[in-house]
Amino acid sequence: MTRHFLTVSALSPEELVAVLDLADDLKVTRGQRADLAGRSIGLLFEQPSTRTRVSFQVGIAELGASPVVLHRAELQLGRGETIEDTARVFSRYLSALVVRTLDHQTVERLALAASIPIVNALTEYSHPCQALADLQTIREYKGGLAGLRLTYLGDGNNVAHALLQAGAMAGMHVTVAAPPGYEPVPQVVEAARESAAHGGTVTVTDDPVAAATDADVLYTDVWASMGRDDEHDARVLLFQPYQVNGALLARARPDAVVLHCLPAHRGEEITAEVIDGPQSVVWEQAENRLHAQKALLLLLLGAADRIPAVTPS
Ligand code: CP
Ligand code: NVA
């Protein structure tokens, strides 16, 4: 049975921990495993990307496989060939396909038609690969995940969705503080509550100060995501109280760490003082994209010998 990774809920709580464990191993043993030698993995990016594109491309090469970089305009997709036919054909050449596109339905349609794993490298709905690296990073700095207070401030977007699901599954107390009207979608909040494990909880509020108080981790992302650029100016005033700045950070625990998926807009969702300050772990977080995604690919392709056998869903 083909395993896809369209949202974090494609993994069980046990698999999530196993991926993080393997990611830690791969970080320490970088360059020593070529478990995917002889395979080819497609990378289809319909939106800009710095970290996701390069970390996948490098990670695939480090695992011994060939990354095949695809551009929509150079495929027959750009001339009207269907998503389903494209998925069927790719399944005859590739071992997996990594896709960044705005419309989540596109990755769902690919997954329905493909007989190879489809990996969501960001849609408007979710950014699950990011959440794997986020948890790996938090665990590195905090020594564990269960029981920690993780507060996300800003837009209830794709990154917030993935973090809610992953954090709750890992037993964290996840709070999203967003302006009214910009909360995460209710179905995601409900699904995160349902899949919460190890005592994990989920809270949504519009109060940034209460949310930041005593947090172990503060997290933010851009106020206007890809596809929402035209809303940027209207959002800046509305989102101002959710800015991660020195005053808000002072509300968190003294040993709190600050994460941002990047790209960052200094002076908007986060101040330079905070993102470039001693509590920021964003560069380690960016590096961990590489290790976490390598672990994910090994799991999806059944090559993660340290991961217990997976029950097809
Ligand atoms: N965080 C992240 O996904 O960055 P890119 O958009 O540069 O891939
Ligand atoms: N929420 C942002 C994340 C970028 C990595 C976006 O979708 O543009």
Side-chain angles (χ1 to χ4, degrees):
M1 188 73 178
T2 308
R3 298 277 324 254
H4 303 292
F5 189 63
L6 306 188
T7 67
V8 175
S9 57
L11 302 179
S12 68
E14 294 71 31
E15 286 173 337
L16 177 60
V17 173
V19 168
L20 299 180
D21 288 346
L22 184 57
D24 286 346
D25 269 15
L26 290 166
K27 189 167 183 171
V28 175
T29 61
R30 188 166 173 190
Q32 294 173 31
R33 291 179 66 145
D35 309 53
L36 300 182
R39 308 234 206 176
S40 297
I41 297 179
L43 294 166
L44 175 57
F45 279 72
E46 297 188 350
Q47 293 292 321
S49 169
T50 294
R51 282 142 288 272
T52 313
R53 181 204 314 274
V54 177
S55 58
F56 264 113
Q57 203 165 341
V58 170
I60 289 165
E62 287 186 1
L63 289 172
S66 301
V68 180
V69 179
L70 304 158
H71 304 281
R72 186 186 180 94
E74 293 168 7
L75 298 168
Q76 298 287 7
L77 251 184
R79 293 182 57 245
E81 187 167 19
T82 68
I83 288 171
E84 287 75 15
D85 287 355
T86 306
R88 290 181 191 109
V89 173
F90 281 169
S91 299
R92 301 297 179 110
Y93 306 136
L94 303 169
S95 293
L97 179 66
V98 176
V99 185
R100 170 169 289 196
T101 186
L102 288 184
D103 187 356
H104 194 73
Q105 274 188 359
T106 300
V107 291
E108 289 180 330
R109 284 175 61 187
L110 283 165
L112 275 176
S115 55
I116 54 171
I118 303 296
V119 176
N120 177 3
L122 183 147
T123 62
E124 270 188 323
Y125 180 67
S126 194
H127 195 5
C129 294
Q130 179 68 52
L132 298 179
D134 299 342
L135 293 200
Q136 185 187 2
T137 309
I138 296 167
R139 217 171 64 155
E140 257 180 71
Y141 282 90
K142 294 286 162 197
L145 295 172
L148 290 181
R149 293 169 60 98
L150 164 60
T151 292
Y152 173 98
L153 298 126
D155 189 20
N157 60 15
N158 45 10
V159 168
H161 286 171
L163 206 57
L164 270 171
Q165 289 192 306
M169 227 188 246
M172 304 178 85
H173 302 298
V174 190
T175 299
V176 172
Y182 295 90
E183 299 93 347
V185 307
Q187 294 92 320
V188 172
V189 175
E190 213 33 60
R193 283 204 180 105
E194 278 167 20
S195 58
H198 314 296
T201 61
V202 170
T203 307
V204 178
T205 175
D206 63 359
D207 183 342
V209 175
T213 301
D214 294 332
D216 298 288
V217 183
L218 292 187
Y219 195 121
T220 192
D221 182 19
V222 293
W223 288 339
S225 285
M226 287 180 273
R228 303 278 170 171
D229 296 318
D230 55 341
E231 297 177 26
H232 172 269
D233 294 352
R235 287 180 176 221
V236 167
L237 267 183
L238 196 62
F239 279 74
Q240 197 59 46
Y242 300 84
Q243 181 187 66
V244 176
N245 52 33
L248 209 61
L249 182 56
R251 298 275 182 170
R253 285 176 54 99
D255 60 351
V257 290
V258 177
L259 280 79
H260 188 310
C261 59
L262 305 176
H265 298 79
R266 288 172 176 77
E268 291 189 14
E269 75 275 2
I270 194 162
T271 58
E273 168 197 29
V274 172
I275 196 169
D276 300 320
Q279 288 170 267
S280 166
V281 298
V282 300
W283 311 118
E284 206 64 33
Q285 180 188 5
E287 178 185 326
N288 286 338
R289 298 294 305 278
L290 172 71
H291 311 301
Q293 287 157 194
K294 284 167 75 177
L296 174 73
L297 289 174
L298 291 177
L299 169 82
L300 296 177
L301 294 172
D305 51 15
R306 289 203 49 237
I307 292 186
V310 163
T311 317
S313 54

